[in-house]
Amino acid sequence: MSDPSAGSPGPEPIRIADEDLDDLASTLARTIAEVRQHGVLLDRLGGDPDPGGAEEPEAESTDEAEADGPTSVFILAMGGAEYAAELAALGNWITHVLLPVYGREIGSTRPWCARWYEHPEAVARLHGLWLAWQQLTDAEAGLIGPSTWHRDHLDHALAQLRSPDGPFAACTTSPSRPSHRVLATPDQLGAAA
């Protein structure tokens, strides 16, 4: 048999108008950012799913989605290594995205604590803020996603966290206050009961 493509010329090159190149470059940049974000999420999800060993037989239930997936993506429902990994990822986002962009000057009217991870309310609020950021900065959120994140999530969360009577209120005057503590995970709560 002869190769039918051997005698035919290659496809015509695609020509893009100069005014459309910026749109194409912007779309490509968003796609690359989305792929990187998915890679980070896949790395987190690809960790050791169950360090305890094989699944128990009762994992087979009538609700397959509930048996196969996590019961919650919220950090307060996690324990052990899963909690530690999520807290580390949250800390990375806070250090490299949230604080450099939105971490205004610290004062008695706008406190912040470098040991935010020892404030259970702060961990919960910051994690919720980060989850919303992941969803609303994804390309599928559309062009209005980031604005929605600012209005509906960031502004409210920072107002609560950095209010003069919020979780960091005493941290600007007494960094070693007794309420600094590591958040108890569901594993630890079950062991204490």
Side-chain angles (χ1 to χ4, degrees):
M1 276 171 63
S2 66
D3 184 6
S5 64
S8 63
E12 289 291 317
I14 297 173
R15 305 271 185 228
I16 298 174
D18 288 343
E19 59 270 7
D20 294 335
L21 285 177
D22 289 337
D23 289 338
L24 183 60
S26 176
T27 301
L28 181 59
R30 279 195 313 268
T31 303
I32 289 170
E34 182 180 344
V35 167
R36 285 185 181 142
Q37 184 179 19
H38 288 165
V40 168
L41 292 173
L42 287 173
D43 286 345
R44 278 196 297 139
L45 292 173
D48 295 336
D50 182 16
E55 282 188 26
E56 296 181 22
E58 50 191 51
E60 302 228 357
S61 69
T62 55
D63 187 0
E64 292 287 326
E66 190 175 286
D68 293 340
T71 57
S72 176
V73 296
F74 192 45
I75 197 165
L76 296 181
M78 297 175 186
E82 182 183 27
Y83 174 83
E86 193 74 0
L87 188 64
L90 173 61
N92 191 32
W93 177 76
I94 289 169
T95 301
H96 298 290
V97 176
L98 185 69
L99 291 179
V101 178
Y102 305 102
R104 297 178 183 171
E105 187 175 329
I106 297 169
S108 59
T109 59
R110 218 177 13 234
W112 178 261
C113 181
R115 292 167 47 185
W116 58 266
Y117 49 87
E118 294 182 1
H119 296 270
E121 178 184 351
V123 170
R125 287 184 183 276
L126 289 166
H127 189 254
L129 185 62
W130 179 50
L131 292 175
W133 178 83
Q134 290 178 73
Q135 183 170 355
L136 292 171
T137 58
D138 187 275
E140 290 181 15
L143 299 176
I144 198 164
S147 177
T148 301
W149 179 75
H150 282 94
R151 182 195 67 213
D152 294 349
H153 303 280
L154 176 70
D155 293 344
H156 180 71
L158 288 182
Q160 293 295 313
L161 287 169
R162 300 197 66 189
S163 72
D165 63 344
F168 305 139
C171 292
T172 55
T173 57
S174 176
S176 60
R177 73 182 188 148
S179 65
H180 273 211
R181 63 191 182 282
V182 175
L183 182 64
T185 65
D187 296 3
Q188 294 165 332
L189 293 173

